Amino acid sequence: MPVSLVKESDVDVLVIGAGPAGLMCANALTQAGVNVRIVDKKPVKVEWGQADGIQPRTIEVLQSYGLAERLLKDGAQMHMAAFYSPGPNGGIARTARVKNIGHPTARYPFGMTLRQGSIEDIFLNSMASKGVEVERSTVPTHIELSTDDALLQDPQSYAVKVVLNREDVPDGMADKEIVHAKYVVGADGAHSWVRRTLGINMDGEQTDYIWGVLDIVPDTDFPDIRNRCSIHSTNGSCMIIPREGDVVRLYIQLTDADVRNVNTGRVDMSRCTPEKLLQTAKKSFYPYTMGAIGEVEWWTIYIIGQRVASQFSVNDRIFIAGDACHTHSPKAGQGMNASMNDTHNLSWKLAHVLRGQADFSLLKTYEFERRKYAQDLIDFDKRFSALFSGKPRTEHNQDGVSHEDFLQAFRTFGGFTSGIGIHYAESAIVNYNYQGLASGVAIGQRMGPQIVIRVADARPFDVQDLLPADTRFKILIFAGDLTEPEQREKLNLIALEMGKPEGFLEKYTPKGAARDAVFDIMTIGRSKKEDLNFTDVPDILLSHWSKVYVDDIDFTGTKGGKAYSTYGIGSAGAFVVVRPDQYVGMIAPLDRVKDLDRYFAGFMGQKRRGQGLWLYKP
Amino acid sequence: MPVSLVKESDVDVLVIGAGPAGLMCANALTQAGVNVRIVDKKPVKVEWGQADGIQPRTIEVLQSYGLAERLLKDGAQMHMAAFYSPGPNGGIARTARVKNIGHPTARYPFGMTLRQGSIEDIFLNSMASKGVEVERSTVPTHIELSTDDALLQDPQSYAVKVVLNREDVPDGMADKEIVHAKYVVGADGAHSWVRRTLGINMDGEQTDYIWGVLDIVPDTDFPDIRNRCSIHSTNGSCMIIPREGDVVRLYIQLTDADVRNVNTGRVDMSRCTPEKLLQTAKKSFYPYTMGAIGEVEWWTIYIIGQRVASQFSVNDRIFIAGDACHTHSPKAGQGMNASMNDTHNLSWKLAHVLRGQADFSLLKTYEFERRKYAQDLIDFDKRFSALFSGKPRTEHNQDGVSHEDFLQAFRTFGGFTSGIGIHYAESAIVNYNYQGLASGVAIGQRMGPQIVIRVADARPFDVQDLLPADTRFKILIFAGDLTEPEQREKLNLIALEMGKPEGFLEKYTPKGAARDAVFDIMTIGRSKKEDLNFTDVPDILLSHWSKVYVDDIDFTGTKGGKAYSTYGIGSAGAFVVVRPDQYVGMIAPLDRVKDLDRYFAGFMGQKRRGQGLWLYKP
């Protein structure tokens, strides 16, 4: 063995794995100003990967990082879903065309596809603008959590040791580095080295469903080739997911005979070719023609496995995220979305703890929120896959899956598949009190879109764009009609309360920092835009002229004016506190600034060990 | 004198001047694949220039080049206009807040500001992606049009000779280059060297109105500081144009005493300082406070001149564009818009002639269309400036300009100031027949925005985004309800007609070129999106699956379904031919493909001299 060069270094967060979960994490932390490194064992990034479906909620999340533009420009959009069942003449016939995304509050009411390489580029470019790059050909070989209790109790200590090997150094010499990290995020995929090394189990099982995937430029007379399409035929099932340009992805149901070795019973990739997959697909499409123009872009076969990791963190120091902690069928297009949303959930919490703004215990909410979601995902996937892989109901098979069954399931699961229905349970950061004050703002769910008008310049804004993923908590003061003296008086009292030295604003905003460094306060009134002046809002609530909005229709007469009614907020108004990840943390009446103080006291600042407030409701 | 190095070269188009007009030209030609060079005498580009107001129509134009994104992201938007007049207590009082853009069909219903440097960057980045850069410190010293008639008759000849001097070469040596160009565009500003060298006169006059301009970050309690604001006070007039970030531009009316030398009567910049301008502004704002935070960003004073060049081209070989052919007051925010739209009009014509697709005579329509517009602009500017510079009506001055006068003018001129009302007169490329078939599509004006649904994937699109500035003519077939056999039959007949060898499609599309290389044919039906298949449109009208649309509401239930009614198209349908610059060229009934043949025969292909069709209607 040649001599190794060993260096040692410190880092706040080390991210292992530069797929969607790892990149979302590294970019979020980079933008938050956190000291972060991200490594990947692959020498180059994946260009045309398996994961590429993007949910409506994920588009919202990317938009909250200012990154949706390119996605929306380059990706394919799926607005319509079409369903085909066995028709009268032995071929398929269309049974329905319906909207693809049923969720009523989707800001981007469509599914998207964009190849993984392009999605990763969006993050890579964003990080590069701050000087952070992925360190490739870098393999972790050892990970070790300190056993020193004092160290483990201190959120600022370098409690994790990781050994990294650089594999692309010349002359076969391994360039070894010992990294001391405060936190490690293992986003290293379904075969996660981090997970295996830590001995975390995957709970769940393999299914019997086998599917082939084929990306082609189709040559076809099939009229729904550019829609998300589910085909149940007597010759097998097939699903179409349109992709960028003229490419479509076909999911093709396979039988054991197609892929299993007759002797061993094991799946044998060599028994399958893209030509065979296409032949199988052709049968499902009859009487429509189906062929491929040019080369097959990409293909694979897979057996659905449905598993969730038994834990998502070790001592809130080492986290796993993405495929490393959940695997499931790709057909509902959830994989990459679940992965990116894991680290979207984790990143702001890490940033707050590392800055010393929030208590260490905040990190517990990551596993609490995301593991429950992953379990729900697997439950959904089991039901969806069974339906999808089932035989269609026909004259001769009355026990089969009917078109109505499938359409019903498609609609029922809409909130889930869109990603919008994700609902975090009650904890230190999700307080279910006062839900009635804003019945259309679901506590624990993401804040929905609505157009409001900025008072200073009458410019319409989507409320979601006032809630960027910038690690700040957003305090929305739905102040009612500010042309009424009573509501003005309420606002003055709020200003008075929030200015007190013992209040959350003074207490958790670092001395000398900008007034809106931790809490971004915005007032949303309810009157005509012509009748309100932004200069009427008390100074402490007005860190900038842009902080005052009104729920009114815009000058085109087509947008806005529905925020209070959609959010279910009455004329008395309400506080809505939105977490940095755009999820609603709490709601309170306007005369209860104290409830905000109490909410933030639950996780802001640093508690002494054993003195942290409750995190999980019994 | 040191020895000069002389080189010689050929180019299809030489653009002189890299301001907004020149860059629009060079970028449009670059994107069209035309061989173009652009030179500028300045060693570096202007960062914070005078021209920076962007009209709604100009945003549409940038969008048609795929360039509106950054503008919309970085620029300030003006949605509301506020008006102040002398109030009861000696100070000003608000008289109205109204929408800033009155034009009902504006796709972007707001004015914008973005500093000239950023606007120029948008073009520079776009050109750079195709390898074209501005050659700076490059001064034209000689321009000469060939006198050889045979050369002048041949649109492909290098009939213009220009001598360029590079000023930034070392050791004081001038690097001289003789450029032989087929066409030259002089976009070299108000003091245009091209115009002066060619001896083209500027017709018009100077006014007596003197204004100061001040860019500041204001410190004020004025509630309309972020709106476009007109202040008529007894202490002078003032106008606010909000800009990027927290900067606002103040236009401040000055008196002779403020700026003229008492002895000579000439304007003397040295009598003016930004502090004095701010002092003058302060008086107009009383009783509101007005100050500046930090340094003044930029300031100037100007006297309004209103002039139009007597001709815009010499032999359709050398063109002038932008400030080189029209100067006027900056207050209505027209300058940069008029400039960019000049070359937006010229570029596609140059591309068509250079490719040999269109007749040389097409170039005559540039002066015909743009000079008339420039004259209209000056007429408008005279009336607007007089109104704006006039004294306000008060108790003691009943002859002054009343708030109502001004508001009325603001509304009347809305179509003009938005840029949307621009209307080109009848010519070979604008045929006023059949206006009645689509009463909401004004022939000679830009095609208005409407949402239609793409049939293949139910995705909503703005019609304007189907009309990019890609030099192609767009043939929109408003085919009526294609679920009706009668309309289907009409479409089949159209396909038959358009497929004929003597028709425009076969005749003017080069052999071997893509089917949609010159004419982009799109069908827009009128039925429910669920009821139509794109595969039902005849092959010759279906160059791609994306070419079929339907006038229906989208899946959100909020967009679309108003195209036929807004465009005034009945159930029988109509052809609408849209020029490459998004202006409507002609309309025809669906059974008159021959009228399309005749329209294109008027300027496509190459005529023998003397055989060109009429260009200007008597």
Side-chain angles (χ1 to χ4, degrees):
Chain A
M1 276 287 286
V3 182
S4 292
L5 302 171
V6 182
K7 57 180 177 181
E8 271 191 78
S9 63
D10 290 343
V11 72
D12 283 2
V13 182
L14 175 68
V15 180
I16 297 173
L23 287 171
M24 168 66 86
C25 189
N27 178 63
L29 293 173
T30 300
Q31 301 305 326
V34 169
N35 171 229
V36 60
R37 282 174 65 185
I38 176 167
V39 299
D40 197 281
K41 64 180 178 186
K42 289 188 294 295
V44 289
K45 79 184 168 72
V46 171
E47 269 309 320
W48 194 272
Q50 186 167 322
D52 53 7
I54 300 146
Q55 300 170 336
R57 172 57 192 157
T58 305
I59 311 175
E60 293 179 2
V61 169
L62 284 168
Q63 170 71 4
S64 77
Y65 287 94
L67 299 178
E69 219 167 62
R70 175 157 167 210
L71 173 68
L72 290 168
K73 201 171 167 182
D74 295 348
Q77 300 182 5
M78 293 174 286
H79 292 259
M80 189 144 77
F83 298 86
Y84 283 74
S85 289
N89 302 320
I92 53 170
R94 188 162 64 214
T95 44
R97 274 173 166 175
V98 300
K99 63 174 155 180
N100 181 31
I101 299 300
H103 201 283
T105 76
R107 178 174 180 190
Y108 305 97
F110 43 84
M112 291 196 75
T113 47
L114 183 63
R115 63 201 175 92
Q116 189 168 331
S118 298
I119 292 163
E120 292 182 9
D121 276 344
I122 291 173
F123 291 114
L124 293 170
N125 292 340
S126 171
M127 284 160 53
S129 72
K130 302 259 176 175
V132 176
E133 294 191 352
V134 176
E135 300 165 43
R136 300 199 181 273
S137 300
T138 302
V139 182
T141 57
H142 179 84
I143 186 164
E144 185 185 327
L145 183 62
S146 167
T147 52
D148 178 340
D149 205 49
L151 224 56
L152 287 176
Q153 295 279 330
D154 174 9
Q156 305 300 338
S157 70
Y158 296 93
V160 195
K161 185 171 118 181
V162 178
V163 180
L164 297 176
N165 263 26
R166 276 290 300 270
E167 295 197 330
D168 59 350
V169 289
D171 298 331
M173 285 174 66
D175 184 355
K176 194 192 262 190
E177 180 181 0
I178 297 170
V179 179
H180 301 277
K182 292 181 180 170
Y183 299 92
V184 170
V185 180
D188 49 350
H191 305 287
S192 171
W193 172 86
V194 175
R195 184 191 70 224
R196 285 180 291 122
T197 307
L198 297 173
I200 298 174
N201 290 327
M202 289 297 274
D203 302 336
E205 62 223 24
Q206 199 92 310
T207 68
D208 290 331
Y209 311 128
I210 310 168
W211 288 78
V213 189
L214 197 59
D215 284 348
I216 54 170
V217 175
D219 181 11
T220 181
D221 59 359
F222 186 68
D224 285 290
I225 192 68
R226 295 303 305 175
N227 289 317
R228 179 172 166 192
C229 195
S230 302
I231 296 166
H232 271 80
S233 89
T234 50
N235 300 314
S237 289
C238 190
M239 188 163 149
I240 301 175
I241 299 289
R243 304 196 40 160
E244 309 99 294
D246 293 337
V247 178
V248 301
R249 170 162 291 183
L250 302 180
Y251 285 96
I252 301 150
Q253 190 179 26
L254 301 176
T255 61
D256 285 354
D258 290 326
V259 288
R260 285 194 200 273
N261 182 299
V262 278
N263 299 319
T264 64
R266 300 181 70 150
V267 171
D268 179 2
M269 279 289 277
S270 71
R271 293 175 54 85
C272 220
T273 64
E275 291 71 31
K276 276 194 187 173
L277 286 179
L278 190 55
Q279 281 306 324
T280 309
K282 273 186 182 178
K283 289 182 210 152
S284 317
F285 276 95
Y286 179 81
Y288 296 99
T289 61
M290 174 55 68
I293 297 171
E295 295 281 296
V296 166
E297 305 262 347
W298 187 80
W299 73 281
T300 192
I301 61 172
Y302 65 88
I303 300 180
I304 301 172
Q306 294 159 326
R307 295 193 180 88
V308 181
S310 58
Q311 61 190 95
F312 280 25
S313 99
V314 175
N315 276 46
D316 297 319
R317 286 292 186 169
I318 306 171
F319 301 88
I320 53 175
D323 289 351
C325 45
H326 39 71
T327 64
H328 41 84
S329 110
K331 278 194 309 301
Q334 301 301 302
M336 185 164 62
N337 299 280
S339 296
M340 291 196 283
N341 279 293
D342 280 347
T343 47
H344 173 56
N345 181 289
L346 176 60
S347 304
W348 68 269
K349 297 170 183 176
L350 282 172
H352 271 267
V353 170
L354 281 163
R355 287 182 198 142
Q357 280 170 357
D359 186 62
F360 196 13
S361 61
L362 176 63
L363 295 175
K364 287 205 183 306
T365 63
Y366 166 66
E367 176 175 307
F368 177 69
E369 294 185 334
R370 295 306 295 177
R371 187 156 184 274
K372 177 174 172 305
Y373 164 72
Q375 286 169 320
D376 291 347
L377 174 58
I378 300 303
D379 290 343
F380 152 77
D381 195 53
K382 281 181 183 165
R383 293 198 283 166
F384 194 74
S385 295
L387 260 181
F388 200 82
S389 299
K391 284 268 173 207
R393 179 176 302 183
T394 60
E395 215 180 316
H396 309 294
N397 177 16
Q398 291 293 324
D399 294 335
V401 179
S402 76
H403 165 62
E404 288 70 27
D405 295 341
F406 197 77
L407 194 59
Q408 183 55 41
F410 181 82
R411 287 183 168 138
T412 307
F413 296 139
F416 200 86
T417 54
S418 68
I420 291 167
I422 292 170
H423 201 135
Y424 294 138
E426 200 158 19
S427 72
I429 53 175
V430 174
N431 183 325
Y432 280 4
N433 293 337
Y434 300 121
Q435 177 65 76
L437 282 181
S439 57
V441 175
I443 300 169
Q445 286 197 28
R446 72 90 165 87
M447 185 78 180
Q450 274 301 311
I451 302 293
V452 292
I453 311 295
R454 189 159 69 184
V455 169
D457 60 0
R459 176 171 170 177
F461 279 84
D462 196 300
V463 166
Q464 286 198 340
D465 288 337
L466 312 180
L467 310 170
D470 59 6
T471 77
R472 296 187 297 175
F473 281 85
K474 315 301 184 303
I475 318 285
L476 304 181
I477 308 176
F478 287 89
D481 185 350
L482 290 171
T483 65
E484 284 178 10
E486 190 191 347
Q487 294 304 116
R488 286 276 278 277
E489 188 46 35
K490 277 190 198 173
L491 200 61
N492 290 333
L493 285 174
I494 290 168
L496 214 66
E497 285 290 315
M498 287 204 188
K500 288 185 176 168
E502 69 273 25
F504 71 93
L505 188 55
E506 286 293 315
K507 207 163 158 189
Y508 303 119
T509 303
K511 304 293 162 230
R515 208 168 2 151
D516 59 353
V518 181
F519 304 98
D520 193 13
I521 301 173
M522 285 167 277
T523 301
I524 302 178
R526 183 184 207 176
S527 63
K528 291 181 73 60
K529 57 191 169 304
E530 292 89 346
D531 295 343
L532 199 61
N533 292 327
F534 77 92
T535 44
D536 291 340
V537 166
D539 195 52
I540 196 165
L541 309 179
L542 192 70
S543 61
H544 191 254
W545 55 262
S546 62
K547 299 300 172 188
V548 188
Y549 297 82
V550 74
D551 180 22
D552 190 18
I553 203 154
D554 82 339
F555 275 121
T556 67
T558 59
K559 285 187 288 193
K562 294 180 186 163
Y564 274 70
S565 61
T566 308
Y567 291 150
I569 298 173
S571 55
F575 289 116
V576 174
V577 176
V578 184
R579 304 173 2 172
D581 56 4
Q582 226 168 54
Y583 285 75
V584 178
M586 74 167 298
I587 294 172
L590 293 184
D591 59 359
R592 299 287 297 175
V593 173
K594 280 186 171 30
D595 284 54
L596 274 67
D597 290 333
R598 209 164 294 149
Y599 170 78
F600 288 114
F603 58 92
M604 296 294 273
Q606 288 169 59
K607 320 288 165 224
R608 271 192 295 165
R609 289 305 103 194
Q611 293 211 335
L613 295 193
W614 57 265
L615 273 169
Y616 309 132
K617 214 167 187 184
Chain B
M1 276 285 286
V3 182
S4 290
L5 302 172
V6 181
K7 57 178 176 182
E8 271 191 78
S9 62
D10 292 343
V11 72
D12 284 0
V13 181
L14 176 68
V15 180
I16 297 172
L23 287 172
M24 168 66 85
C25 189
N27 178 61
L29 293 173
T30 300
Q31 301 305 326
V34 169
N35 170 232
V36 59
R37 284 175 63 187
I38 177 168
V39 300
D40 198 283
K41 65 180 179 187
K42 290 187 294 294
V44 289
K45 81 185 167 70
V46 170
E47 269 310 320
W48 193 272
Q50 186 166 323
D52 55 4
I54 299 146
Q55 300 170 335
R57 171 58 192 155
T58 305
I59 311 175
E60 293 180 0
V61 170
L62 284 169
Q63 170 71 4
S64 77
Y65 288 95
L67 300 178
E69 218 167 62
R70 175 159 166 209
L71 172 69
L72 289 167
K73 201 171 165 182
D74 295 348
Q77 300 183 5
M78 293 174 285
H79 292 259
M80 189 144 77
F83 298 87
Y84 283 73
S85 289
N89 303 320
I92 53 171
R94 187 162 65 213
T95 45
R97 275 174 166 175
V98 299
K99 63 173 155 180
N100 181 30
I101 299 299
H103 201 285
T105 76
R107 179 173 179 191
Y108 305 98
F110 43 83
M112 291 196 74
T113 48
L114 183 64
R115 64 202 174 90
Q116 189 168 330
S118 299
I119 292 162
E120 293 182 9
D121 276 344
I122 291 173
F123 291 114
L124 293 171
N125 292 340
S126 171
M127 284 160 53
S129 72
K130 302 259 176 176
V132 176
E133 292 192 353
V134 175
E135 300 165 44
R136 300 198 181 272
S137 300
T138 302
V139 182
T141 58
H142 179 83
I143 186 165
E144 186 184 327
L145 184 61
S146 168
T147 52
D148 177 341
D149 206 48
L151 225 58
L152 287 176
Q153 296 279 329
D154 173 9
Q156 305 300 338
S157 70
Y158 296 92
V160 195
K161 186 171 115 179
V162 179
V163 180
L164 297 177
N165 265 25
R166 277 290 300 268
E167 295 197 329
D168 58 351
V169 287
D171 296 331
M173 287 174 64
D175 183 355
K176 194 192 263 187
E177 179 181 1
I178 298 172
V179 179
H180 300 278
K182 293 181 180 171
Y183 300 93
V184 170
V185 180
D188 49 348
H191 304 288
S192 170
W193 173 87
V194 176
R195 184 191 70 224
R196 285 181 290 119
T197 307
L198 297 172
I200 298 173
N201 289 327
M202 290 296 275
D203 303 336
E205 63 224 22
Q206 198 90 311
T207 68
D208 290 333
Y209 311 127
I210 312 168
W211 288 78
V213 188
L214 197 59
D215 285 347
I216 54 170
V217 174
D219 181 10
T220 181
D221 59 0
F222 185 67
D224 286 289
I225 192 67
R226 294 303 306 176
N227 289 318
R228 179 171 165 194
C229 195
S230 302
I231 296 164
H232 273 80
S233 89
T234 50
N235 299 315
S237 289
C238 189
M239 189 162 148
I240 301 174
I241 299 287
R243 304 195 42 160
E244 308 98 297
D246 292 338
V247 178
V248 301
R249 170 163 291 182
L250 302 180
Y251 285 97
I252 302 148
Q253 189 177 25
L254 301 176
T255 61
D256 285 356
D258 289 327
V259 288
R260 284 192 201 273
N261 181 300
V262 279
N263 298 319
T264 63
R266 301 181 70 151
V267 171
D268 180 1
M269 279 288 276
S270 71
R271 293 174 54 84
C272 220
T273 62
E275 291 71 30
K276 275 194 188 173
L277 286 179
L278 189 57
Q279 280 307 321
T280 309
K282 274 185 181 178
K283 288 182 208 151
S284 317
F285 276 94
Y286 180 81
Y288 295 98
T289 60
M290 174 55 68
I293 297 171
E295 296 281 296
V296 167
E297 304 263 347
W298 186 80
W299 72 283
T300 191
I301 61 171
Y302 66 89
I303 300 181
I304 299 173
Q306 292 158 328
R307 294 191 180 91
V308 181
S310 58
Q311 59 190 97
F312 279 25
S313 99
V314 175
N315 276 46
D316 297 319
R317 287 293 188 170
I318 306 170
F319 302 88
I320 53 174
D323 289 350
C325 45
H326 38 72
T327 63
H328 41 85
S329 109
K331 278 195 308 301
Q334 300 300 302
M336 186 164 61
N337 300 280
S339 295
M340 291 197 281
N341 279 293
D342 280 347
T343 47
H344 173 56
N345 182 289
L346 177 59
S347 305
W348 69 269
K349 298 171 182 176
L350 282 172
H352 271 267
V353 170
L354 281 163
R355 287 183 198 143
Q357 280 170 357
D359 187 61
F360 196 12
S361 61
L362 177 63
L363 296 175
K364 286 206 183 305
T365 62
Y366 167 64
E367 176 174 309
F368 177 70
E369 294 185 332
R370 294 306 294 177
R371 187 159 184 272
K372 178 175 172 303
Y373 165 72
Q375 286 169 321
D376 291 348
L377 175 58
I378 301 304
D379 290 345
F380 152 76
D381 195 52
K382 281 180 182 165
R383 293 197 282 168
F384 194 74
S385 293
L387 216 53
F388 199 83
S389 298
K391 283 268 174 207
R393 181 175 299 181
T394 58
E395 216 180 316
H396 310 294
N397 175 17
Q398 290 293 323
D399 294 334
V401 179
S402 75
H403 165 62
E404 288 71 26
D405 295 341
F406 197 77
L407 194 57
Q408 181 57 40
F410 181 81
R411 288 182 169 141
T412 307
F413 296 139
F416 201 85
T417 53
S418 69
I420 290 167
I422 292 170
H423 200 136
Y424 294 138
E426 200 159 17
S427 74
I429 52 174
V430 175
N431 183 324
Y432 279 4
N433 293 335
Y434 300 120
Q435 177 67 76
L437 282 182
S439 55
V441 176
I443 301 170
Q445 286 197 28
R446 73 89 166 90
M447 186 78 181
Q450 274 301 312
I451 300 294
V452 291
I453 310 296
R454 189 158 70 183
V455 170
D457 59 0
R459 176 171 169 177
F461 278 85
D462 196 300
V463 166
Q464 287 198 339
D465 288 337
L466 311 180
L467 310 170
D470 58 7
T471 78
R472 295 187 297 175
F473 281 86
K474 315 301 184 304
I475 318 285
L476 303 181
I477 309 176
F478 286 90
D481 185 350
L482 289 172
T483 66
E484 286 178 11
E486 192 190 346
Q487 295 303 118
R488 285 277 278 277
E489 188 46 36
K490 277 191 200 173
L491 200 62
N492 289 333
L493 285 174
I494 290 167
L496 213 65
E497 285 289 316
M498 287 204 186
K500 288 185 177 168
E502 69 272 23
F504 71 93
L505 189 55
E506 285 293 315
K507 208 163 156 188
Y508 304 119
T509 303
K511 304 293 164 231
R515 203 158 19 138
D516 60 351
V518 180
F519 304 98
D520 193 13
I521 301 174
M522 284 167 276
T523 301
I524 303 177
R526 184 185 206 176
S527 63
K528 290 181 73 63
K529 57 191 171 302
E530 292 90 346
D531 295 343
L532 199 61
N533 292 327
F534 77 93
T535 43
D536 292 339
V537 167
D539 195 53
I540 196 165
L541 309 179
L542 193 68
S543 61
H544 191 253
W545 56 262
S546 61
K547 298 301 173 186
V548 188
Y549 297 83
V550 74
D551 180 23
D552 191 19
I553 203 153
D554 82 339
F555 274 120
T556 67
T558 59
K559 285 188 287 193
K562 293 180 187 164
Y564 274 69
S565 60
T566 308
Y567 291 151
I569 297 174
S571 56
F575 289 117
V576 174
V577 176
V578 184
R579 305 173 0 172
D581 56 3
Q582 226 168 54
Y583 285 76
V584 178
M586 74 167 300
I587 293 172
L590 292 186
D591 59 359
R592 300 286 298 174
V593 172
K594 280 187 172 26
D595 285 54
L596 274 65
D597 289 334
R598 209 165 292 148
Y599 169 80
F600 287 114
F603 58 92
M604 295 295 272
Q606 289 169 60
K607 319 288 166 223
R608 274 192 293 163
R609 290 304 104 194
Q611 292 210 335
L613 296 192
W614 58 264
L615 272 169
Y616 309 133
K617 216 168 186 185

